[in-house]
Amino acid sequence: MKNLFFTLLLVAACQWTLAQEYRVYKAPTFREEWSKPSYYPDRIVLNFGADPAHQASVTWRTDTTISQTFAEIAVADGAPKFWRNAETLPAKTELLDASSVEVARVKAHYHSVTFSDLKPATTYAYRVGDGDTWSEWIQFSTASDDKDEPFAFLYVGDTQNYILELWARLIREGYRKAPDAKFIIHAGDLVNTAHRDQEWHEWFTAGGFIHSMVPSLSTPGNHEYRSIPEWDGADAARRLSLQWRPQFTLPENGPEGLEELAETVYYMDYQDARIISLNSNVMQAEQIPWLEEVLSNNPQKWTIVTYHHPLFSASEGRDNARLREAWKPLFDKYKVDLALQGHDHSYARGRVSPGDNVLDGVNARDKTGTVYVVSVSGGKMYELRRNGWEDYEADRDRAAENTQLFQVIHIEGDKLSFESYTAIGELYDAFDLEKQADGTNKFIERKSEAVSERRFSNTIPYEDPLPENLQTILQSRYPNYAITRVSARKEENQLVFSVRLEKDGERKELSIDEQGNIRE
């Protein structure tokens, strides 16, 4: 009897230790008022116009008690009273009333000003406010009118999940690595739930002053689209995020007459690079005539496209064949240099053949057509395609799982350098493109400079680990089933694991507690 007592005591102690030591994820909570607007300007974001040497726009938010607002701008100077030379411009004000939308529950005024006739290669300071209450003075620089002037920019894939928790460290590390970056490309899925105002507040809070200093070029992902049953009924079509157009002031040089694509399909010429945003979510075919026009009448040396859904998917179980068939022929025809994509929550970089226009005497591995990159910057991760790009008529040269990444792209004359970094600043991938006289690119592989490839198998576990004794119980009860997903939670100070089992296409979902009790 005494031995039994000590055995039970030991078992209880082990279970208590497991419950105490096992780290269970708990999402942070935010009080509803945290994301609400006030009289003070917030969510200040800078966007370039189509001509970033001479145009930039600023957008910000207040509550609806503030209706008349302004932006002031001056050429920045080391003298503190540079503001004596400032110009005051009235803002355009737009009401966003989403108070009846459950996930938004917000009513706000968005204000915007477009600065025109700016001087190239000049540092400006601006501030926004209502004439009495002002933001701080914020600085940015215009593009040079010298096409060969070197510049760099940042590119990030999906933010989407754990935005304030995990994306904050990533974008801030990106800014630290490339403080002179002239703009940031966001390749879609900036948030997880299109109209959810709290998530947008997380995005703006995570980026902080970076959003107001480094212009954003944003393209929407599938998570920027969601129906609004409160407005349109239960079976309504998806809409672009209610916040998208009020909170960004992006170029409006997209396809004429297609209002649904406004401020999602556009282009910007930054010195000798044409940056094109496409919308891979809707009206893919309708964008083709506009895209061909923008590509065929392109005086810039470098052409970079960004959109959300990859033409060559990185993750298992995905293939955007229709999109690839629609857009890749144009990318090939007009020698698009770089395609920056998101969606797949893993990393893949590869390239396609340059076609028939090949330089004599150049090894086949040293020339390239479009280089395609898929990347992820947030904390949600997927598995890579097991066969790489073998069935895509493309070569995948570098890949990663379970890793937050940002990318820095440098352009100087005939050379484009691409570098991908982890969230702690490790070089993960790199290559150079050198523009040849006939418009093709010489490819220089630099991944040997980077850290070893990262996979789920050699990184900190993404899925919650299932204790070995519970694995044994499940494998005994369900022989030949593979444990494919585990999620841990606490219920009344006891650990409970939600487990997915799979065998020959059959799937079981069950729970098992730390004592081994199973609930199907």
Side-chain angles (χ1 to χ4, degrees), residues 62 93 104 108 121 141 207 215 233 236 256 259 270 307 320 346 360 455:
T62 66
T93 296
S141 298
E256 292 185 8
E259 183 66 16
Y270 195 98
Y307 49 89
N320 302 303
S346 55
D360 293 335
R455 296 292 189 272

Side-chain angles (χ1 to χ4, degrees), residues 193-208:
T193 308
H195 316 295
R196 192 177 184 197
D197 206 61
Q198 178 193 295
E199 291 180 15
W200 283 114
H201 202 65
E202 288 191 53
W203 187 84
F204 277 98
T205 304

